[in-house]
Amino acid sequence: MLTSGQSFQVLAISPGIAVGRVQPVRRKNSSGAPVLEMISEEQVPSELARVRMAIDKTRQQLTALQTAVREKLNSQDDAGIFDAHLLLVDDRSLLREVETRIKKRLWSAEYALYDTAEHFGKVFANIQDEFLKERAADIRDVADRLLNNLSSQENIPADDRDDCRIIIASTLSPSETAGLDTRKVLGFAIETGSATCHTAILARSMKLPAVAGVPAEIINTLSADDKIIIDGFSGRLIVNPDARTEESYRLRAESAQAFYSTLVQESSLRPETTDGFEIELAINAGSVEDISELKTAGASAVGLLRTEFMFLGRELPDEEEQFEVYKQVLIAAEDAPVTVRTLDIGGDKLDNNIFRSLEANPFLGLRGIRLCLFERRDLFETQLRALLRAGVYGNLRIMLPMVSSVLEVLEVKLLIADLQQQLEKENVEFVRHPVIGVMIETPAAALMADELGRHVDFFSIGTNDLVQYTMAIDRGNERVAYLYKPAHPAILKLIASTVAAARKNNIFVGVCGQMAAEPEFVPLLVGLGVHELSMEPPSVAMVRRVIRSISFYEAEKTAAQALACPNAAASLEVSLNLLKRCAPEISSVLKKTDESGES
Ligand code: PEP
Ligand code: MG
């Protein structure tokens, strides 16, 4: 039972504060049954409408299946089993029972449907007649299909309510997050996830405050009548706050916004240290539209264009479609470099259209370049052809994700040469000398950076994965999030050796993981000698202020000191000390948001 004003320490995954009523997202519990969730009177019509939509969709699916079976097996009998299912879908007494549970007991559509199916399933299972007994299995089968169709509906965010809400759910997939309507959603609180999972990355791009690691009991208990506060700076969730707490959080949200507005006005200032060392500020983008943020943020490059947006949850794009998109991106960026990362599917970005088999450990499986070189070389070739063609329209950098061996790079280079020959024969325009780089996001790549550097034009350090693979923790698992420490000396050492390898090979090195966006790590990265910091656009303003407040000389000393620290807490402290001295206004924002904030 939750009491009003109760406050919970959770994980901050996207900055900002949101205060508002809850929009619970319905999920099944671990036994496969939906969670019993109450709805309000006003939600009844929309729940009834959801049931009807699920029925329509189920009817269509069953009819399509019936036709397919008839054609494939050429069997009228086998197709006939769907007649019984179709009859059930349109059974009026079943529908009436579901509707009664929604209207009278105020249960969610999922639970009402589940309970009705359980009830009829038991009644039929207890009948002596074998034929009727079998109907119990049919009912459960149809109910499962209806439930699936209910949960795949756009039930995020609130259906017909006009007020904005905070989504609360056990999980949100990256594609669900991308589909959130930011005019109606104030933020979200989820159980599984961490600051570097792709759901969090999207939340930051969408400027949605978010927290993760919320215990399941809280998620299952909160209903649409509860009001909560989520603090995406310090990672707090407060249930039904009193008026004073609510006011204090509203004020904090306003002052954070005001501070941010002053920083934004500095977007035309050069991102250089007080002793004149310039860092390239770049943005991470996930769509063509994001490119407009380059100018708004005052950044000079796209350090990472995630191309997954074109592949996930939709029909796969062909060469022409991709060519047009990359061309538009390059033209929109004018002459700014655009680092296009080739398909990085895998890990928490899975899609049935792309993967041919399920893996027990997707983060350690056929992800990124591995998938592209082996299982889906077809997709990779199409993407590379589109990129080579689009490259003539701007300043393209091609970046390979998840590299762990020099051989992978050599193979890609051979493939690119082959594709260039093809294009030449076809008389199609393409870039002759594409700039090719690799992400340094596995410890193997960091340790072999010396060798890798001989074959590529740049490195970009993906700290989200580099921390994950070095610390051996799933980046999306809130239970090991306490080990997710980018300032850990082990990580700093890998970054330092990557920078040294870049220097030796006379190539450029950037950072495009979340570490680049966090003010407390910026002195370390600058001091370690990286050339570019790339991040979600909203973070650029704060990072610019940090760079302009410190000297390179001091940052270098700080980084050297941090490298010699025995643990992550000590090295972070070293960096925070410099920040406190040189940029007290930033350090106080970080400090303030580290406190619980309740009055
Ligand atoms: C990273 O790993 O740091 C990175 C930028 O890539 P992604 O977060 O998409 O894995
Ligand atoms: Mg990565």
Side-chain angles (χ1 to χ4, degrees), residues 106-226:
L106 293 179
W107 286 352
S108 66
E110 277 85 349
Y111 200 79
L113 187 62
Y114 166 76
D115 189 69
T116 307
E118 283 294 293
H119 168 72
F120 278 102
K122 277 187 199 135
V123 170
F124 278 89
N126 287 331
I127 295 176
Q128 292 307 320
D129 182 304
E130 280 310 308
F131 173 78
L132 288 177
K133 230 183 190 146
E134 278 176 24
R135 300 287 70 77
D138 286 340
I139 290 177
R140 293 213 166 94
D141 203 345
V142 169
D144 274 353
R145 192 174 279 280
L146 283 164
L147 278 170
N148 274 339
N149 286 333
L150 263 180
S151 60
S152 66
Q153 281 173 13
E154 278 291 297
N155 55 355
I156 313 169
D159 20 69
D160 53 355
R161 285 190 280 256
D162 320 319
D163 59 336
C164 297
R165 297 256 164 175
I166 299 174
I167 302 262
I168 181 136
S170 51
T171 57
L172 274 185
S173 69
S175 54
E176 283 173 327
T177 310
L180 293 177
D181 180 348
T182 48
R183 290 163 308 176
K184 284 192 137 194
V185 175
L186 296 166
F188 62 82
I190 51 177
E191 182 186 354
T192 36
S194 69
T196 54
C197 67
H198 287 95
T199 294
I201 289 169
L202 281 166
R204 290 192 293 272
S205 287
M206 295 160 79
K207 304 192 183 87
L208 276 179
V211 294
V214 182
E217 307 84 80
I218 303 177
I219 290 181
N220 294 338
T221 314
L222 286 171
S223 77
D225 293 329
D226 289 308

Side-chain angles (χ1 to χ4, degrees), residues 198 306 341 344 349 367 401-402 439 441 462-466 469 475:
H198 287 95
R306 292 185 164 94
R341 179 174 71 186
D344 184 18
K349 293 173 286 188
R367 180 183 168 189
M402 193 64 191
M439 290 200 67
E441 51 184 351
T463 51
N464 302 343
D465 279 314
L466 188 61
Y469 295 123
R475 66 193 249 190

Side-chain angles (χ1 to χ4, degrees), residues 211-273:
V211 294
V214 182
E217 307 84 80
I218 303 177
I219 290 181
N220 294 338
T221 314
L222 286 171
S223 77
D225 293 329
D226 289 308
K227 184 184 259 186
I228 58 170
I229 297 175
I230 55 168
D231 181 346
F233 292 115
S234 66
R236 284 204 91 75
L237 183 149
I238 301 157
V239 179
N240 294 320
D242 60 28
R244 242 165 50 122
T245 308
E246 190 176 327
E247 183 57 15
S248 95
Y249 269 92
R250 279 196 201 283
L251 288 175
R252 274 184 55 199
E254 273 169 32
S255 79
Q257 188 52 46
F259 179 57
Y260 184 72
S261 308
T262 59
L263 291 182
V264 165
Q265 285 162 18
E266 297 173 2
S267 66
S268 59
L269 301 179
R270 280 164 81 91
E272 61 181 7
T273 58

Side-chain angles (χ1 to χ4, degrees), residues 6 31 35 45 52 141 149 167 182 190 192 205 269 343 354 372 386 391 400 402 437 493 511 531 539 557 561 588:
Q6 235 179 321
S31 68
V35 175
R52 300 229 172 84
D141 203 345
N149 286 333
I167 302 262
T182 48
I190 51 177
T192 36
S205 287
L269 301 179
L343 197 52
I354 298 177
C372 287
L400 311 175
M402 193 64 191
K493 283 180 189 174
V511 177
H531 303 115
S539 302
K557 268 203 326 200
Q561 233 179 309
S588 71

Side-chain angles (χ1 to χ4, degrees), residues 215-392:
E217 307 84 80
I218 303 177
I219 290 181
N220 294 338
T221 314
L222 286 171
S223 77
D225 293 329
D226 289 308
K227 184 184 259 186
I228 58 170
I229 297 175
I230 55 168
D231 181 346
F233 292 115
S234 66
R236 284 204 91 75
L237 183 149
I238 301 157
V239 179
N240 294 320
D242 60 28
R244 242 165 50 122
T245 308
E246 190 176 327
E247 183 57 15
S248 95
Y249 269 92
R250 279 196 201 283
L251 288 175
R252 274 184 55 199
E254 273 169 32
S255 79
Q257 188 52 46
F259 179 57
Y260 184 72
S261 308
T262 59
L263 291 182
V264 165
Q265 285 162 18
E266 297 173 2
S267 66
S268 59
L269 301 179
R270 280 164 81 91
E272 61 181 7
T273 58
T274 54
D275 46 0
F277 185 87
E278 185 159 348
I279 299 286
E280 179 162 77
L281 280 180
I283 60 164
N284 292 352
S287 67
V288 183
E289 295 75 48
D290 288 353
I291 305 300
S292 64
E293 300 273 356
L294 249 181
K295 282 217 174 83
T296 326
S300 51
V302 177
L304 166 63
L305 177 75
R306 292 185 164 94
T307 54
E308 296 82 68
F309 70 94
M310 271 186 291
F311 291 80
L312 289 171
R314 45 153 296 180
E315 220 172 281
L316 299 176
D318 62 11
E319 181 180 321
E320 256 346 276
E321 181 183 346
Q322 289 189 62
F323 165 69
E324 276 305 325
V325 171
Y326 303 141
K327 178 177 154 186
Q328 277 176 42
V329 165
L330 287 162
I331 291 173
E334 296 173 357
D335 259 346
V338 178
T339 316
V340 180
R341 179 174 71 186
T342 58
L343 197 52
D344 184 18
I345 300 280
D348 57 351
K349 293 173 286 188
L350 298 171
D351 193 288
N352 295 340
N353 278 338
I354 298 177
F355 268 82
R356 300 216 163 114
S357 45
L358 277 178
E359 297 178 309
N361 284 312
F363 270 115
L364 300 178
L366 271 190
R367 180 183 168 189
I369 197 69
R370 304 171 183 182
L371 179 85
C372 287
L373 283 177
F374 301 104
E375 200 161 271
R376 296 311 309 257
R377 208 174 166 98
D378 54 331
L379 293 183
F380 193 38
E381 287 186 9
T382 308
Q383 181 172 44
L384 287 174
R385 274 180 60 102
L387 280 170
L388 290 168
R389 288 174 54 200
V392 295

